[in-house]
Short mmCIF file of all heavy atoms in Angstrom, two decimals:
data_model
loop_
_atom_site.label_atom_id
_atom_site.label_comp_id
_atom_site.label_asym_id
_atom_site.label_seq_id
_atom_site.Cartn_x
_atom_site.Cartn_y
_atom_site.Cartn_z
N GLU R 419 -20.85 -0.53 -3.08
CA GLU R 419 -20.14 -0.32 -4.33
C GLU R 419 -18.75 -0.92 -4.18
O GLU R 419 -18.38 -1.43 -3.11
CB GLU R 419 -20.06 1.18 -4.69
CG GLU R 419 -21.42 1.76 -5.07
CD GLU R 419 -21.33 3.20 -5.55
OE1 GLU R 419 -20.22 3.75 -5.55
OE2 GLU R 419 -22.37 3.77 -5.92
N GLY R 420 -17.97 -0.86 -5.26
CA GLY R 420 -16.66 -1.49 -5.29
C GLY R 420 -15.74 -1.02 -4.17
O GLY R 420 -15.61 0.18 -3.93
N GLY R 421 -15.10 -1.98 -3.49
CA GLY R 421 -14.14 -1.67 -2.45
C GLY R 421 -14.73 -1.53 -1.06
O GLY R 421 -14.00 -1.48 -0.07
N GLN R 537 -8.58 8.10 -12.46
CA GLN R 537 -9.39 6.89 -12.37
C GLN R 537 -10.23 6.73 -13.64
O GLN R 537 -10.93 7.66 -14.05
CB GLN R 537 -10.31 7.01 -11.16
CG GLN R 537 -11.04 5.74 -10.80
CD GLN R 537 -11.80 5.89 -9.51
OE1 GLN R 537 -12.84 6.52 -9.47
NE2 GLN R 537 -11.28 5.34 -8.43
N PHE R 538 -10.11 5.56 -14.24
CA PHE R 538 -10.94 5.22 -15.39
C PHE R 538 -12.09 4.37 -14.87
O PHE R 538 -11.87 3.31 -14.29
CB PHE R 538 -10.12 4.47 -16.45
CG PHE R 538 -9.27 5.40 -17.27
CD1 PHE R 538 -8.14 6.00 -16.71
CD2 PHE R 538 -9.59 5.69 -18.58
CE1 PHE R 538 -7.37 6.88 -17.44
CE2 PHE R 538 -8.82 6.57 -19.32
CZ PHE R 538 -7.70 7.16 -18.76
N HIS R 539 -13.32 4.87 -15.02
CA HIS R 539 -14.46 4.12 -14.53
C HIS R 539 -14.59 2.85 -15.35
O HIS R 539 -14.55 2.89 -16.58
CB HIS R 539 -15.75 4.94 -14.63
CG HIS R 539 -16.85 4.40 -13.78
ND1 HIS R 539 -17.52 3.24 -14.09
CD2 HIS R 539 -17.39 4.85 -12.62
CE1 HIS R 539 -18.43 3.00 -13.16
NE2 HIS R 539 -18.36 3.96 -12.25
N PRO R 540 -14.74 1.69 -14.68
CA PRO R 540 -14.74 0.43 -15.42
C PRO R 540 -15.92 0.27 -16.38
O PRO R 540 -15.78 -0.30 -17.46
CB PRO R 540 -14.82 -0.63 -14.32
CG PRO R 540 -14.47 0.06 -13.05
CD PRO R 540 -14.85 1.49 -13.23
N THR R 541 -17.09 0.79 -15.98
CA THR R 541 -18.30 0.49 -16.76
C THR R 541 -18.94 1.76 -17.30
O THR R 541 -19.82 2.35 -16.68
CB THR R 541 -19.31 -0.30 -15.89
OG1 THR R 541 -19.54 0.41 -14.66
CG2 THR R 541 -18.77 -1.68 -15.57
N VAL R 542 -18.47 2.16 -18.47
CA VAL R 542 -19.05 3.29 -19.20
C VAL R 542 -19.70 2.71 -20.46
O VAL R 542 -19.13 1.84 -21.11
CB VAL R 542 -17.96 4.32 -19.55
CG1 VAL R 542 -18.51 5.44 -20.42
CG2 VAL R 542 -17.36 4.88 -18.26
N VAL R 556 -22.41 3.94 -16.39
CA VAL R 556 -23.24 2.89 -15.82
C VAL R 556 -22.72 2.65 -14.40
O VAL R 556 -21.69 2.01 -14.20
CB VAL R 556 -23.20 1.59 -16.66
CG1 VAL R 556 -24.13 0.54 -16.04
CG2 VAL R 556 -23.60 1.87 -18.10
N GLU R 558 -21.45 2.09 -10.63
CA GLU R 558 -20.96 0.94 -9.89
C GLU R 558 -22.04 0.31 -9.02
O GLU R 558 -22.00 -0.87 -8.69
CB GLU R 558 -19.79 1.40 -9.01
CG GLU R 558 -18.91 0.31 -8.52
CD GLU R 558 -17.52 0.85 -8.23
OE1 GLU R 558 -16.94 1.52 -9.09
OE2 GLU R 558 -17.05 0.58 -7.13
N ARG R 561 -23.49 -2.92 -10.20
CA ARG R 561 -22.77 -4.10 -9.75
C ARG R 561 -22.99 -4.34 -8.26
O ARG R 561 -23.04 -5.48 -7.80
CB ARG R 561 -21.28 -3.95 -10.05
CG ARG R 561 -20.93 -4.22 -11.51
CD ARG R 561 -19.47 -3.95 -11.81
NE ARG R 561 -19.21 -2.54 -11.99
CZ ARG R 561 -18.20 -1.87 -11.44
NH1 ARG R 561 -17.33 -2.51 -10.66
NH2 ARG R 561 -18.04 -0.59 -11.65
N ALA R 565 -25.20 -7.08 -10.51
CA ALA R 565 -24.94 -7.29 -11.94
C ALA R 565 -23.57 -7.96 -12.12
O ALA R 565 -22.66 -7.77 -11.31
CB ALA R 565 -24.97 -5.96 -12.69
N HIS R 566 -23.42 -8.71 -13.20
CA HIS R 566 -22.18 -9.45 -13.47
C HIS R 566 -21.47 -8.90 -14.70
O HIS R 566 -22.13 -8.51 -15.67
CB HIS R 566 -22.49 -10.94 -13.71
CG HIS R 566 -23.19 -11.59 -12.58
ND1 HIS R 566 -24.16 -12.56 -12.76
CD2 HIS R 566 -23.07 -11.42 -11.24
CE1 HIS R 566 -24.62 -12.95 -11.57
NE2 HIS R 566 -23.97 -12.28 -10.64
N LEU R 567 -20.15 -8.90 -14.65
CA LEU R 567 -19.35 -8.59 -15.83
C LEU R 567 -19.07 -9.88 -16.59
O LEU R 567 -18.59 -10.86 -16.01
CB LEU R 567 -18.03 -7.92 -15.43
CG LEU R 567 -18.13 -6.45 -15.02
CD1 LEU R 567 -16.87 -6.01 -14.31
CD2 LEU R 567 -18.39 -5.57 -16.24
N VAL R 568 -19.38 -9.87 -17.89
CA VAL R 568 -19.18 -11.07 -18.71
C VAL R 568 -18.55 -10.69 -20.05
O VAL R 568 -18.63 -9.54 -20.49
CB VAL R 568 -20.52 -11.82 -18.97
CG1 VAL R 568 -21.14 -12.28 -17.66
CG2 VAL R 568 -21.50 -10.93 -19.73
N PHE R 575 -15.61 -13.04 -15.75
CA PHE R 575 -14.15 -13.09 -15.72
C PHE R 575 -13.54 -12.43 -14.49
O PHE R 575 -12.33 -12.52 -14.28
CB PHE R 575 -13.56 -12.46 -16.99
CG PHE R 575 -14.06 -11.06 -17.27
CD1 PHE R 575 -13.45 -9.96 -16.69
CD2 PHE R 575 -15.14 -10.86 -18.10
CE1 PHE R 575 -13.91 -8.68 -16.94
CE2 PHE R 575 -15.62 -9.58 -18.36
CZ PHE R 575 -15.00 -8.48 -17.77
N MET R 576 -14.34 -11.76 -13.65
CA MET R 576 -13.78 -11.16 -12.43
C MET R 576 -13.75 -12.15 -11.27
O MET R 576 -13.03 -11.94 -10.29
CB MET R 576 -14.58 -9.92 -12.02
CG MET R 576 -14.32 -8.70 -12.89
SD MET R 576 -12.57 -8.20 -12.99
CE MET R 576 -12.18 -7.84 -11.28
N THR R 577 -14.51 -13.21 -11.36
CA THR R 577 -14.50 -14.23 -10.31
C THR R 577 -13.11 -14.87 -10.23
O THR R 577 -12.57 -15.30 -11.24
CB THR R 577 -15.55 -15.31 -10.60
OG1 THR R 577 -16.81 -14.69 -10.80
CG2 THR R 577 -15.66 -16.29 -9.45
N GLN R 579 -10.37 -13.25 -9.58
CA GLN R 579 -9.34 -12.22 -9.69
C GLN R 579 -9.20 -11.40 -8.41
O GLN R 579 -8.17 -10.78 -8.16
CB GLN R 579 -9.66 -11.27 -10.87
CG GLN R 579 -9.51 -11.93 -12.23
CD GLN R 579 -9.31 -10.89 -13.33
OE1 GLN R 579 -8.72 -9.84 -13.12
NE2 GLN R 579 -9.80 -11.20 -14.51
N HIS R 580 -10.30 -11.37 -7.61
CA HIS R 580 -10.29 -10.59 -6.37
C HIS R 580 -11.39 -11.16 -5.49
O HIS R 580 -12.40 -11.67 -5.98
CB HIS R 580 -10.55 -9.10 -6.67
CG HIS R 580 -10.35 -8.20 -5.49
ND1 HIS R 580 -11.34 -7.96 -4.57
CD2 HIS R 580 -9.27 -7.47 -5.09
CE1 HIS R 580 -10.88 -7.12 -3.64
NE2 HIS R 580 -9.63 -6.81 -3.94
N LEU R 582 -13.63 -9.72 -3.92
CA LEU R 582 -14.91 -9.03 -4.12
C LEU R 582 -15.43 -9.14 -5.56
O LEU R 582 -16.46 -8.56 -5.88
CB LEU R 582 -14.79 -7.55 -3.72
CG LEU R 582 -14.49 -7.29 -2.24
CD1 LEU R 582 -14.27 -5.79 -2.00
CD2 LEU R 582 -15.62 -7.80 -1.36
N ALA R 583 -14.67 -9.86 -6.41
CA ALA R 583 -15.07 -10.07 -7.82
C ALA R 583 -15.44 -8.73 -8.47
O ALA R 583 -14.60 -7.82 -8.51
CB ALA R 583 -16.22 -11.07 -7.89
N GLU R 584 -16.69 -8.59 -8.96
CA GLU R 584 -17.09 -7.35 -9.65
C GLU R 584 -17.08 -6.13 -8.74
O GLU R 584 -17.12 -4.99 -9.22
CB GLU R 584 -18.50 -7.50 -10.25
CG GLU R 584 -18.55 -8.29 -11.53
CD GLU R 584 -18.83 -9.76 -11.34
OE1 GLU R 584 -18.82 -10.22 -10.16
OE2 GLU R 584 -19.06 -10.47 -12.33
N LEU R 585 -17.03 -6.35 -7.42
CA LEU R 585 -17.03 -5.23 -6.48
C LEU R 585 -15.64 -4.94 -5.92
O LEU R 585 -15.50 -4.31 -4.87
CB LEU R 585 -18.01 -5.50 -5.33
CG LEU R 585 -19.48 -5.30 -5.72
CD1 LEU R 585 -20.38 -5.67 -4.57
CD2 LEU R 585 -19.73 -3.87 -6.15
N ALA R 586 -14.61 -5.38 -6.63
CA ALA R 586 -13.24 -5.00 -6.27
C ALA R 586 -13.07 -3.49 -6.49
O ALA R 586 -13.88 -2.86 -7.19
CB ALA R 586 -12.26 -5.78 -7.14
N PRO R 587 -12.02 -2.87 -5.91
CA PRO R 587 -11.77 -1.45 -6.20
C PRO R 587 -11.69 -1.18 -7.70
O PRO R 587 -11.34 -2.07 -8.49
CB PRO R 587 -10.43 -1.19 -5.51
CG PRO R 587 -10.42 -2.16 -4.37
CD PRO R 587 -11.09 -3.40 -4.91
N ARG R 588 -12.00 0.03 -8.09
CA ARG R 588 -12.18 0.36 -9.50
C ARG R 588 -10.97 0.08 -10.37
O ARG R 588 -11.11 -0.35 -11.52
CB ARG R 588 -12.58 1.84 -9.63
CG ARG R 588 -14.00 2.07 -9.21
CD ARG R 588 -14.39 3.52 -9.35
NE ARG R 588 -15.79 3.66 -8.98
CZ ARG R 588 -16.42 4.82 -8.89
NH1 ARG R 588 -15.77 5.94 -9.15
NH2 ARG R 588 -17.70 4.87 -8.55
N ASP R 589 -9.77 0.34 -9.84
CA ASP R 589 -8.60 0.10 -10.68
C ASP R 589 -8.49 -1.38 -11.04
O ASP R 589 -8.11 -1.73 -12.16
CB ASP R 589 -7.32 0.59 -9.98
CG ASP R 589 -7.04 -0.14 -8.67
OD1 ASP R 589 -7.95 -0.24 -7.83
OD2 ASP R 589 -5.90 -0.62 -8.48
N ILE R 590 -8.84 -2.25 -10.10
CA ILE R 590 -8.74 -3.69 -10.35
C ILE R 590 -9.79 -4.13 -11.37
O ILE R 590 -9.51 -4.93 -12.27
CB ILE R 590 -8.88 -4.46 -9.02
CG1 ILE R 590 -7.66 -4.17 -8.14
CG2 ILE R 590 -9.05 -5.97 -9.25
CD1 ILE R 590 -7.77 -4.64 -6.72
N VAL R 591 -11.00 -3.60 -11.25
CA VAL R 591 -12.05 -3.96 -12.21
C VAL R 591 -11.71 -3.41 -13.60
O VAL R 591 -11.87 -4.10 -14.61
CB VAL R 591 -13.42 -3.45 -11.74
CG1 VAL R 591 -14.51 -3.81 -12.75
CG2 VAL R 591 -13.78 -4.05 -10.38
N ALA R 592 -11.22 -2.17 -13.66
CA ALA R 592 -10.86 -1.59 -14.97
C ALA R 592 -9.75 -2.40 -15.63
O ALA R 592 -9.79 -2.65 -16.84
CB ALA R 592 -10.42 -0.13 -14.80
N LYS R 593 -8.77 -2.83 -14.83
CA LYS R 593 -7.70 -3.66 -15.38
C LYS R 593 -8.24 -5.01 -15.84
O LYS R 593 -7.83 -5.53 -16.88
CB LYS R 593 -6.60 -3.87 -14.33
CG LYS R 593 -5.78 -2.62 -14.02
CD LYS R 593 -4.86 -2.87 -12.84
CE LYS R 593 -4.22 -1.57 -12.37
NZ LYS R 593 -3.41 -1.75 -11.17
N GLY R 594 -9.15 -5.60 -15.04
CA GLY R 594 -9.73 -6.88 -15.40
C GLY R 594 -10.48 -6.82 -16.71
O GLY R 594 -10.36 -7.72 -17.56
N ILE R 595 -11.24 -5.75 -16.91
CA ILE R 595 -11.98 -5.57 -18.16
C ILE R 595 -11.01 -5.39 -19.32
O ILE R 595 -11.15 -6.01 -20.39
CB ILE R 595 -12.94 -4.37 -18.05
CG1 ILE R 595 -14.06 -4.67 -17.06
CG2 ILE R 595 -13.52 -4.00 -19.42
CD1 ILE R 595 -14.96 -3.48 -16.77
N THR R 596 -10.00 -4.53 -19.11
CA THR R 596 -9.04 -4.25 -20.19
C THR R 596 -8.26 -5.50 -20.57
O THR R 596 -8.05 -5.76 -21.77
CB THR R 596 -8.08 -3.13 -19.75
OG1 THR R 596 -8.85 -1.99 -19.33
CG2 THR R 596 -7.18 -2.70 -20.90
N ARG R 597 -7.84 -6.28 -19.57
CA ARG R 597 -7.12 -7.52 -19.87
C ARG R 597 -7.99 -8.47 -20.70
O ARG R 597 -7.53 -9.07 -21.67
CB ARG R 597 -6.72 -8.22 -18.56
CG ARG R 597 -5.51 -7.62 -17.88
CD ARG R 597 -4.96 -8.58 -16.84
NE ARG R 597 -3.96 -7.92 -16.00
CZ ARG R 597 -4.18 -7.51 -14.75
NH1 ARG R 597 -5.36 -7.69 -14.20
NH2 ARG R 597 -3.23 -6.91 -14.07
N ARG R 598 -9.25 -8.62 -20.31
CA ARG R 598 -10.14 -9.53 -21.02
C ARG R 598 -10.39 -9.03 -22.45
O ARG R 598 -10.46 -9.82 -23.39
CB ARG R 598 -11.47 -9.66 -20.28
CG ARG R 598 -12.32 -10.83 -20.75
CD ARG R 598 -11.65 -12.16 -20.43
NE ARG R 598 -12.61 -13.26 -20.43
CZ ARG R 598 -12.36 -14.46 -19.95
NH1 ARG R 598 -11.17 -14.72 -19.42
NH2 ARG R 598 -13.26 -15.42 -19.98
N MET R 599 -10.48 -7.71 -22.62
CA MET R 599 -10.64 -7.15 -23.95
C MET R 599 -9.45 -7.52 -24.82
O MET R 599 -9.59 -7.90 -25.99
CB MET R 599 -10.81 -5.61 -23.86
CG MET R 599 -12.19 -5.17 -23.38
SD MET R 599 -12.26 -3.44 -22.80
CE MET R 599 -11.62 -2.55 -24.20
N MET R 607 -16.55 -5.15 -23.07
CA MET R 607 -17.13 -6.30 -22.38
C MET R 607 -18.62 -5.99 -22.15
O MET R 607 -19.16 -5.04 -22.70
CB MET R 607 -16.40 -6.55 -21.05
CG MET R 607 -14.99 -7.10 -21.23
SD MET R 607 -14.94 -8.83 -21.81
CE MET R 607 -14.31 -8.62 -23.47
N TYR R 608 -19.27 -6.81 -21.32
CA TYR R 608 -20.71 -6.63 -21.08
C TYR R 608 -21.01 -6.63 -19.59
O TYR R 608 -20.34 -7.32 -18.80
CB TYR R 608 -21.52 -7.76 -21.73
CG TYR R 608 -21.48 -7.75 -23.24
CD1 TYR R 608 -20.54 -8.51 -23.93
CD2 TYR R 608 -22.40 -7.00 -23.97
CE1 TYR R 608 -20.49 -8.51 -25.31
CE2 TYR R 608 -22.37 -7.00 -25.37
CZ TYR R 608 -21.41 -7.76 -26.03
OH TYR R 608 -21.37 -7.76 -27.40
N LEU R 609 -22.03 -5.87 -19.22
CA LEU R 609 -22.57 -5.89 -17.87
C LEU R 609 -23.96 -6.53 -17.96
O LEU R 609 -24.85 -6.00 -18.64
CB LEU R 609 -22.66 -4.47 -17.30
CG LEU R 609 -23.00 -4.35 -15.82
CD1 LEU R 609 -21.90 -4.95 -14.96
CD2 LEU R 609 -23.22 -2.89 -15.44
N VAL R 644 -19.94 -2.35 -22.22
CA VAL R 644 -19.24 -1.37 -21.39
C VAL R 644 -17.73 -1.43 -21.64
O VAL R 644 -17.20 -2.46 -22.05
CB VAL R 644 -19.51 -1.60 -19.88
CG1 VAL R 644 -20.95 -1.31 -19.52
CG2 VAL R 644 -19.10 -3.01 -19.45
N ALA R 645 -17.06 -0.32 -21.39
CA ALA R 645 -15.60 -0.23 -21.47
C ALA R 645 -15.15 0.89 -20.54
O ALA R 645 -15.92 1.81 -20.25
CB ALA R 645 -15.15 0.04 -22.90
N PRO R 646 -13.91 0.83 -20.03
CA PRO R 646 -13.42 1.91 -19.16
C PRO R 646 -13.29 3.25 -19.91
O PRO R 646 -12.98 3.27 -21.10
CB PRO R 646 -12.05 1.40 -18.71
CG PRO R 646 -12.11 -0.09 -18.88
CD PRO R 646 -12.96 -0.29 -20.11
N ASN R 683 -6.00 5.85 -5.74
CA ASN R 683 -7.24 5.36 -6.35
C ASN R 683 -8.40 5.67 -5.42
O ASN R 683 -8.46 5.17 -4.30
CB ASN R 683 -7.14 3.83 -6.57
CG ASN R 683 -8.35 3.27 -7.27
OD1 ASN R 683 -8.82 3.80 -8.27
ND2 ASN R 683 -8.87 2.18 -6.74
N ALA R 745 -5.71 4.49 -19.88
CA ALA R 745 -5.77 3.45 -18.85
C ALA R 745 -4.52 2.59 -18.85
O ALA R 745 -4.07 2.13 -17.80
CB ALA R 745 -7.01 2.59 -19.07
N GLY R 812 -2.36 1.62 -7.88
CA GLY R 812 -3.71 2.17 -7.98
C GLY R 812 -4.17 2.27 -9.42
O GLY R 812 -4.08 1.31 -10.19
N CYS R 813 -4.64 3.44 -9.81
CA CYS R 813 -5.16 3.59 -11.17
C CYS R 813 -4.09 4.04 -12.17
O CYS R 813 -4.41 4.36 -13.31
CB CYS R 813 -6.36 4.53 -11.19
SG CYS R 813 -6.13 6.12 -10.41
N TRP R 815 -1.37 2.56 -14.28
CA TRP R 815 -1.02 1.21 -14.73
C TRP R 815 0.05 1.30 -15.81
O TRP R 815 -0.23 1.70 -16.93
CB TRP R 815 -2.27 0.50 -15.24
CG TRP R 815 -2.05 -0.95 -15.56
CD1 TRP R 815 -0.96 -1.71 -15.29
CD2 TRP R 815 -2.99 -1.82 -16.22
NE1 TRP R 815 -1.14 -3.00 -15.73
CE2 TRP R 815 -2.38 -3.09 -16.30
CE3 TRP R 815 -4.27 -1.65 -16.73
CZ2 TRP R 815 -3.02 -4.17 -16.91
CZ3 TRP R 815 -4.90 -2.73 -17.32
CH2 TRP R 815 -4.29 -3.97 -17.40
#
Side-chain angles (χ1 to χ4, degrees):
E419 291 186 358
Q537 190 174 76
F538 282 72
H539 197 288
T541 53
V542 175
V556 182
E558 198 154 309
R561 281 175 281 134
H566 302 143
L567 283 165
V568 298
F575 54 86
M576 285 304 299
T577 306
Q579 290 202 32
H580 189 274
L582 296 175
E584 282 93 351
L585 284 176
R588 286 181 177 174
D589 62 310
I590 292 169
V591 179
K593 290 172 190 175
I595 292 173
T596 306
R597 282 196 191 104
R598 194 66 160 193
M599 285 163 55
M607 289 288 111
Y608 293 93
L609 189 65
V644 293
N683 183 47
C813 52
W815 187 9

